[in-house]
């Protein structure tokens, strides 16, 4: 018989296990027999192909063309040099891509898939790859299923099988044997690796792992999908094409002018055209961008933000609105019961955290569950309608811990504090059935079997429980609950909620003997209310500063929570999301009655608003409406039903600790500490990386202009070319490589969060970048180096129009002056380009240690080319004297202070969009 046809007992017998799970020896034996529970990865594209790909990108093809022309014009030395540049650039690019891929693989290990199993009678959490056939899995809403298994318990359980069947509608699952199916995947008592639990809970026995699973059959297809190209990478590719086009047009134009206007020999005209083409190519552009993105993603991990898609890095920098949950994100998610309300009494609870130390204080005296009947009923409902588990110190590194929802864990701690032994009570009244919590119902029920009847214990949102209640327990007796009394109860609830406390209500019902269908509609009615529990989840201490930083940077925060409005409002006021004076609470039901225009009006009004008692569908709607208004939205979520909203938002942010597997898969970023402050840190890093790439481009453009203008002057004034092609190559892929990387790895500017978010439509290469790099810094640098060129020539008696042979030592001295001048000027540009608006002196000129190494690298390469005889011959240089050094050393401070003046004017006239402003 097939496994889906067997009874539960036969399943355990076939797989040689039990409802106590496997023991350690069995696990080790089966691991050796079946191997790790992981899909065998398809062999990836060979590294050699990745390496070769760097030889045919747009800029590489342009250099190949220049190299071929150099051989044609009988300048093999130049052709070989350009080929060397291509090879060095390819090696460098490949190495950066290889490092980025290694970093990505390392990031995957930060949040490994886990599974809950019962082994040796204890429920534990293990790495999913340690699952073996015979393991007894425990499944809850939001879990990813990591192996093929047969259900033996199922409570209102539905599974998303879309990864296997393509059918998006969740499938209801059962635990008993089923008849023969045409396709085992359609069996209602089987679950499969790669699918997920959308609702309910259950337990299942694993029967297939690793490459034996159904999912392994389609794994090869998923592994061959190409990685996403981020918008920033697309912009860089577009920039490369623009540069290539400009280089070709300028090269052809110079060739034609030199051939037909200046009437240079063909070979010389070709040589100069090649030189101008090479001068236009920023060889280090592509690898530096790859390095910067990979380094940024790695840096974010250190700030508890795991970036899953590179595109998220730059999108983060443009975020205009953060839609955040409350519990765990703004708060510590360390629930502690503070007050218990029972009819006509409020009992205070002392103690904090998961350690069950503390007292219940009523009328300034400690009480136990035996003293007040309703407290015992309350604690029974709180601990029975509960799936959490407390972990004693000996099993949790010396301190008390919890497995499951922190709210439910807090209820168990409270029960222990008052001396209620729920485990002993549960043995007397075993659980018959669970109706899991649902965000729409806002309740959870647990049905228990007494010797003579079934009883349901229910907990949930107070207003929901009150509405379902027809009775209230007073002094151990059921009394009718009138509408007037319900109104009074809601007032009591609001008073507690206004203190920032989260409140749950509890009740019970004796089920009729003839009830056979245990659906929520049949079970959750005619409830007897026993009381309410008020819990405190204090805000994280760092949230207030993070919220203030968002406000300062033009990022709006909207709280969307399933919690009660007054509770959410108290927390929002405490952390600074809303003002203490006036704010609006929009409840979920109120939101459903509004049309889209009314919701948009609230969102656009700018008033302080909290969306309370919201369900995941509301998050989805709000995200959609905000994006229609051209906002860039970051949306937090942790539940399985949050997945659509996380996918819809520009940046879906899931919780690494409390988040479900489904939410993590749907998100773009996972917070490994569930902390709102980590979102703000990630946004700051997103802004920083975008700015750093712009700084690098600006820095590169400055010397591009200084390399191009000599060719223009050569044509206009018929002067000897002030810089050779070999010297251009020495700058582009020699002295400028490490400094460019230093800018790419630079820290955030102090004012990076004082600026409004970057518009979605803004280009990486925009007018301010062109004006600052090509025009302002480029022209200043060009004027300086050309002045050095003419200074050397005129000191030696040369006059304009006089011939000067390329082999003349004076020509070598003049071109060396230009080459060295560009390097010295670039040191000044490097220091200046560390910031865009604020003064470089304010952040510290050498605060970025990479800048120091970049400058030292430039100087070492420059001195080597100038004074090592073999390199002198290759690059056509000559050693400079003290006088020449004194002249060009001034270039660095001139470049730095010129840009400092520009920044000063930008800061003074920022609001008038001064033409040289950099974004």
């Amino acid at each position: 018989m097939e496994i889906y046809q067997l009874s539960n007992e036969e399943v355990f017998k076939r797989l040689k296990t039990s409802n106590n799970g496997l023991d350690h020896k069995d696990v080790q034996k089966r691991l050796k027999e079946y191997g790790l529970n992981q899909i065998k990865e398809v062999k990836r594209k060979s590294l050699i192909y990745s390496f070769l790909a760097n030889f045919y990108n747009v800029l590489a093809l342009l250099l190949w063309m220049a190299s071929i022309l150099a051989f044609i014009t009988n300048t093999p030395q130049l052709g070989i040099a350009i080929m060397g540049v291509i090879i060095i650039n390819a090696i460098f690019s490949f190495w950066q891509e290889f490092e980025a891929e290694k970093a990505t693989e390392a990031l995957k290990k930060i949040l490994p898939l886990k599974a809950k199993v019962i082994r040796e009678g204890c429920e534990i959490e293990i790495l999913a790859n340690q699952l073996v056939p015979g393991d007894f899995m425990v499944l809850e809403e939001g879990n990813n299923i990591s192996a093929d298994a047969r259900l033996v318990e199922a409570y209102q359980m539905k599974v998303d099988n879309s990864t296997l069947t393509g059918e998006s509608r969740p499938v209801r699952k059962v635990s008993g044997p089923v008849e023969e199916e045409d396709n085992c995947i359609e069996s209602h008592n089987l679950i499969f690796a790669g699918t997920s639990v959308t609702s309910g809970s259950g337990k299942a026995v694993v029967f297939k792992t690793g490459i034996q699973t159904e999912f392994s059959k389609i794994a090869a297809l998923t592994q061959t999908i190409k990685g996403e190209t981020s918008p920033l990478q697309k912009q860089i590719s577009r920039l490369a094409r623009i540069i290539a086009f400009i280089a070709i047009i300028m090269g052809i134009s110079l060739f034609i002018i030199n051939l037909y206007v200046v009437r240079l020999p063909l070979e010389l005209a070709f040589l100069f055209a090649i030189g101008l083409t090479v001068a236009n190519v920023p060889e280090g552009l592509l690898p530096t961008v790859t390095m910067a993105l990979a380094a940024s993603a790695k840096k974010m991990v250190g700030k508890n933000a795991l970036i899953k898609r590179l595109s998220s890095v730059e999108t983060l920098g443009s975020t205009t609105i953060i839609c955040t949950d409350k519990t765990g994100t703004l708060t510590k998610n360390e629930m502690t019961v503070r007050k218990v309300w029972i009819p006509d009494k409020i009992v205070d609870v002392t103690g904090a955290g998961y350690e069950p130390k503390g007292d219940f204080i009523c009328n300034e005296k400690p009480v136990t569950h035996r003293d007040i009947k309703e407290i015992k009923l309350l604690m029974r409902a709180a601990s029975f309608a509960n799936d959490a588990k407390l972990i004693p110190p000996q099993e949790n590194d010396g301190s008390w811990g919890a497995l499951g929802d922190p709210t439910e864990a807090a209820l168990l701690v409270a029960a222990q504090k008052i001396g209620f032994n729920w485990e002993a009570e549960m043995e007397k009244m075993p659980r018959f059935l669970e109706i899991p919590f649902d965000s729409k119902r806002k309740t959870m029920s647990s049905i228990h079997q007494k010797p003579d009847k079934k009883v349901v214990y229910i907990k949930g949102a107070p207003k929901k429980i009150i509405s379902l209640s027809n009775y209230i327990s007073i002094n151990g007796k059921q009394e009718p609950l009138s509408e007037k009394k319900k109104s009074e109860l809601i007032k009591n609830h609001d008073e507690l909620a206004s203190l920032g406390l989260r409140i749950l209500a509890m009740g019970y019902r004796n089920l009729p003997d003839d009830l056979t269908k245990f659906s929520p509609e049949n079970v959750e009615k005619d409830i007897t209310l026993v009381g309410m529990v008020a819990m405190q989840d204090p805000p994280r201490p760092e949230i207030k500063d993070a919220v203030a930083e968002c406000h300062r940077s033009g990022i709006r925060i909207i709280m969307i929570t399933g919690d009660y409005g007054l509770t959410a409002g108290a927390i929002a006021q405490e952390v600074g999301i809303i003002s203490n004076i006036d704010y609006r609470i929009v409840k979920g039901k109120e939101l459903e009655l509004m049309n889209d225009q009314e919701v948009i009006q609230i969102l656009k009004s700018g008033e302080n608003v909290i969306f309370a008692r919201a369900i995941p569908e509301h998050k989805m709607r709000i995200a959609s409406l905000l994006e229609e208004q051209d906002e860039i939205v970051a949306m937090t979520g942790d539940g399985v039903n949050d997945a659509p909203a996380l996918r819809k938002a520009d940046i879906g942010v899931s919780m690494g600790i409390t988040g479900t597997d489904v939410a993590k898969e749907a998100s773009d970023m996972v917070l490994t500490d569930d902390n709102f402050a980590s979102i703000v840190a990630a946004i700051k890093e997103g802004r920083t990386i975008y700015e750093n790439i712009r700084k690098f481009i600006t820095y590169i453009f400055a010397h591009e202009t200084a390399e191009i203008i000599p060719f223009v002057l050569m044509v206009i004034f018929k002067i000897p070319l002030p810089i050779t092609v070999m010297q251009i190559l020495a700058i582009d892929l020699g002295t400028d490589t490490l400094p460019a990387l230093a800018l790419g790895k630079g820290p955030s500017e102090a004012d990076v969060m004082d600026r409004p978010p970057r518009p979605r439509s803004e280009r990486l290469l925009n007018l301010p970048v062109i004006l600052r790099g090509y025009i302002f810094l480029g022209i200043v640098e060009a004027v300086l180096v050309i002045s050095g060129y003419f200074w050397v020539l005129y000191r030696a008696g040369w006059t304009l129009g006089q011939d000067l042979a390329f082999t003349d030592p004076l020509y070598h001295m003049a071109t060396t002056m230009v080459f060295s001048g560009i390097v010295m000027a670039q040191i000044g540009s490097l220091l200046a380009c560390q910031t865009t608006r604020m003064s470089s002196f304010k952040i510290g000129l050498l605060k970025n240690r990479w800048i120091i190494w970049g400058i030292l690298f430039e100087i070492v390469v420059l001195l080597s080319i100038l004074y090592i005889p073999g390199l002198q011959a290759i690059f056509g240089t000559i050693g400079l004297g003290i006088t020449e050094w004194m002249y060009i050393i001034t270039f660095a401070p001139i470049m730095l202070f010129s840009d400092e003046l520009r920044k000063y004017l930008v800061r003074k006239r920022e609001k008038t969009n001064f033409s040289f402003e950099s974004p």
Side-chain angles (χ1 to χ4, degrees), residues 534-554:
M535 290 166 279
Q536 184 184 44
D537 184 13
R540 297 175 184 266
E542 65 273 19
I543 295 298
K544 202 164 187 175
D545 289 340
V547 168
E549 195 165 36
C550 284
H551 289 163
R552 196 171 66 247
S553 62

Side-chain angles (χ1 to χ4, degrees), residues 272-330:
F272 290 154
I274 293 168
L276 185 58
T277 302
V278 171
N280 270 291
V281 177
E283 289 83 0
L285 178 65
L286 300 179
T288 301
V289 170
T290 303
M291 179 280 302
L293 285 172
S296 183
K298 190 174 180 180
K299 188 175 179 181
M300 285 186 186
V301 173
K303 297 181 178 179
N304 303 308
L306 173 60
I307 299 297
K308 293 173 60 182
R309 300 176 180 90
L310 274 181
S311 57
S312 304
V313 177
E314 72 247 30
T315 308
L316 274 165
S318 301
T319 301
T320 59
I321 291 179
I322 302 173
C323 295
T324 181
D325 205 339
K326 176 183 72 68
T327 304
T329 311
L330 299 175

Side-chain angles (χ1 to χ4, degrees), residues 8-24:
N8 292 352
E9 293 76 14
E10 290 171 326
V11 171
F12 283 119
K13 188 175 180 181
R14 176 177 287 191
L15 292 164
K16 298 178 182 178
T17 185
S18 70
N19 55 10
N20 285 324
L22 301 171
D23 61 30
H24 179 71

Side-chain angles (χ1 to χ4, degrees), residues 555-595:
I555 299 171
R556 187 180 173 196
I557 303 170
I558 299 175
M559 186 188 286
I560 308 175
T561 177
D563 215 336
Y564 190 59
L566 290 175
T567 305
I571 295 295
Q573 288 182 64
E574 188 172 348
V575 299
I577 291 177
I578 59 177
S579 67
N580 293 321
I581 302 169
D582 186 33
Y583 66 93
R584 177 176 179 179
I585 297 172
V586 178
K587 298 175 185 175
K589 288 185 177 179
E590 184 184 349
L591 183 66
E592 289 171 0
L593 297 174
M594 295 179 181
N595 60 41

Side-chain angles (χ1 to χ4, degrees), residues 511-533:
L511 297 177
D513 295 335
D514 59 352
L515 186 65
T516 57
K517 187 177 181 181
F518 299 94
S519 64
E521 297 78 15
N522 293 338
V523 171
E524 295 176 344
K525 62 181 182 180
D526 297 330
I527 299 298
T528 299
L529 177 72
V530 294
M532 292 182 282
V533 173

Side-chain angles (χ1 to χ4, degrees), residues 465-538:
I465 299 294
I466 291 170
S467 70
L468 294 172
S469 298
N470 290 339
Y471 307 95
I472 186 169
S473 179
I474 300 178
N475 297 323
K477 296 180 181 179
Q478 285 185 343
E479 296 187 9
L481 187 59
S482 65
E483 291 301 319
K484 181 181 178 181
K485 184 62 177 176
K486 286 184 178 182
S487 298
E488 291 177 6
L489 292 175
I490 291 172
K491 286 182 181 178
N492 293 329
H493 165 264
D494 289 350
E495 288 174 6
L496 292 172
S498 65
L499 300 175
L501 300 173
R502 184 181 183 187
I503 305 164
L504 290 175
M506 283 80 182
Y508 73 94
R509 177 192 175 201
N510 294 317
L511 297 177
D513 295 335
D514 59 352
L515 186 65
T516 57
K517 187 177 181 181
F518 299 94
S519 64
E521 297 78 15
N522 293 338
V523 171
E524 295 176 344
K525 62 181 182 180
D526 297 330
I527 299 298
T528 299
L529 177 72
V530 294
M532 292 182 282
V533 173
M535 290 166 279
Q536 184 184 44
D537 184 13

